[in-house]
Amino acid sequence: MGDMTSLGRRDDPDADVLEGSHASEEADIDFRQIYTATYPRLVRTLWFVVHDHELAQEIAQDAFIELHRQWRKVRSYDRPDLWVRRVALRKAQREAVRAVRRQRAERFLHSVDAEPAPELPDPELRAAMLQLPPMQRAVVVLFYLEDRPMEEVADLLDCQPSTGFVHLHRARHRLAELLSETVSEEVDGDVR
């Protein structure tokens, strides 16, 4: 059969496990050292990009999570700290661009004369509606509160009008139970 060591195997199978755990411990120590040395300065740098300390911390943490995922590859680089810094800065720049776009949109929306906010249903009805499944709630809001025809409701919710009526029917009965009322079976001329 031949000598097992000539095939690259060792006589002691536990030696690989011990060497692997030792290499893993060294990798963990290397990662911790980079994290400890880099994280505080990285957060400070990111703050200058995003002007928000909590967001800077979140971005830095996300970058280190990415570094940890890629650690087997990145740890062989000359400067893994630069890799994590580059990832974090890219994330921060994307976030800064989003913030500027968000601010522009908010300024635009505030400058547009909007109609006054519609009155909300009474608190008891709101509480009952919150107990409906999301689809039924959406059908009730679109059909009754926004006064949309069922064809449009169905189109908005990506379902057939008959399905919309089924959701509306179930929602009406559930609301009647919750509000201790009786419900008519007629919905805008559509008798069920």
Side-chain angles (χ1 to χ4, degrees):
M1 177 161 173
D3 185 5
M4 290 296 272
T5 55
S6 66
L7 298 174
R9 296 193 177 186
R10 296 199 174 127
D11 292 330
D12 183 7
D14 292 333
D16 287 337
V17 172
L18 292 175
E19 280 186 22
S21 69
H22 181 67
S24 177
E25 287 174 20
E26 284 179 12
D28 286 346
I29 291 169
D30 291 344
F31 182 85
R32 283 190 199 112
Q33 287 173 341
I34 288 174
Y35 178 83
T36 304
T38 307
Y39 181 80
R41 289 188 353 224
L42 181 58
V43 169
R44 185 186 65 207
T45 300
L46 296 173
W47 180 87
F48 282 104
V49 177
V50 296
H51 304 291
D52 180 330
H53 185 71
E54 287 181 20
L55 182 58
Q57 288 177 318
E58 184 179 322
I59 292 169
Q61 290 166 3
D62 287 347
F64 273 100
I65 289 169
E66 188 64 28
L67 175 64
H68 193 264
R69 284 188 195 128
Q70 302 291 327
W71 186 240
R72 282 188 164 174
K73 178 176 89 172
V74 177
R75 74 178 182 192
S76 66
Y77 292 3
D78 290 336
R79 299 281 309 271
D81 60 312
L82 294 181
W83 185 93
V84 74
R85 184 172 292 278
R86 183 178 304 118
V87 168
L89 284 168
R90 286 180 183 158
K91 288 176 182 282
Q93 288 168 338
R94 282 193 300 269
E95 192 59 42
V97 167
R98 281 189 202 116
V100 168
R101 287 180 184 154
R102 192 177 311 117
Q103 288 171 348
R104 284 183 193 153
E106 287 172 359
R107 278 195 306 266
F108 174 76
L109 292 174
H110 287 298
S111 69
V112 174
D113 290 332
E115 293 180 22
E119 286 189 34
L120 295 174
D122 73 277
E124 189 178 359
L125 178 58
R126 279 196 314 250
M129 285 180 63
L130 288 174
Q131 294 184 44
L132 295 175
M135 184 66 137
Q136 290 178 14
R137 193 173 25 211
V139 169
V140 168
V141 168
L142 292 169
F143 189 80
Y144 287 115
L145 300 181
E146 293 190 6
D147 200 28
R148 295 179 185 273
M150 184 52 74
E151 290 74 25
E152 192 174 320
V153 171
D155 185 50
L156 288 168
L157 297 176
D158 198 26
C159 67
Q160 295 295 316
S162 59
T163 304
F165 277 116
V166 168
H167 285 295
L168 185 63
H169 177 78
R170 290 178 182 163
R172 287 172 44 119
H173 281 276
R174 180 67 180 136
L175 287 171
E177 288 174 13
L178 294 168
L179 298 171
S180 302
E181 295 181 7
T182 58
V183 88
S184 154
E185 291 299 318
E186 188 175 318
V187 178
D188 275 357
D190 184 41
V191 180
R192 294 274 169 223

